[in-house]
Amino acid sequence: QVQFVESGGGSVQPGESLTLSCAPSKSISEIGTMAWYRQLPGSQIEMVARVSNTGSRFYIDHVQGRFTITRNNAKNTVTLQMKNLKPEDSGTYLCNRVPPRHGDWGQGTQVSVSS
């Protein structure tokens, strides 16, 4: 089992930026592809962005051009830089491998975007 610890969330206004950070208890080089996910209250968890061990990235359409996922194998961290935030970006953001292992979900970090 891997523990994922997310941080960096907050309450911001539309158009502002946040950078989320994920610190797993296991080497991300061993884990492989990593992703950031988002969960709304009472809703399923959706993948927002993923990055492979080779650096290949994928984003859902809604965040393309505004979010950047980065992995640093040396520091064992995965970050999600979020720019030009919109109210629909609000939710709990969690990191996990791809595909996710449900026993590994952390507490996540809350992002709230409102004016």
Side-chain angles (χ1 to χ4, degrees):
Q1 186 175 7
V2 180
Q3 291 183 330
F4 295 99
V5 180
E6 302 92 349
S7 62
S11 296
V12 298
Q13 295 187 341
E16 293 185 336
S17 302
L18 283 172
T19 297
L20 308 183
S21 183
C22 171
S25 61
K26 181 179 179 180
S27 168
I28 58 174
S29 296
E30 296 180 32
I31 292 174
T33 299
M34 289 289 301
W36 278 95
Y37 299 82
R38 184 175 70 118
Q39 183 175 35
L40 297 175
S43 300
Q44 289 185 328
I45 296 174
E46 66 168 352
M47 187 182 69
V48 173
R50 68 172 185 254
V51 59
S52 71
N53 249 339
T54 61
S56 178
R57 298 177 173 89
F58 171 84
Y59 302 93
I60 59 172
D61 289 344
H62 173 67
V63 307
Q64 181 74 44
R66 299 188 297 119
F67 289 13
T68 302
I69 187 171
T70 304
R71 65 188 295 151
N72 187 320
N73 287 357
K75 294 183 178 180
N76 205 44
T77 57
V78 181
T79 60
L80 184 68
Q81 185 179 28
M82 306 186 294
K83 296 181 178 180
N84 190 22
L85 282 161
K86 303 177 180 181
E88 51 265 41
D89 295 322
S90 298
T92 300
Y93 283 73
L94 309 102
C95 66
N96 207 321
R97 70 185 78 207
V98 178
R101 294 188 182 179
H102 296 284
D104 291 346
W105 291 115
Q107 295 298 311
T109 185
Q110 187 70 31
V111 172
S112 178
V113 186
S114 66
S115 54

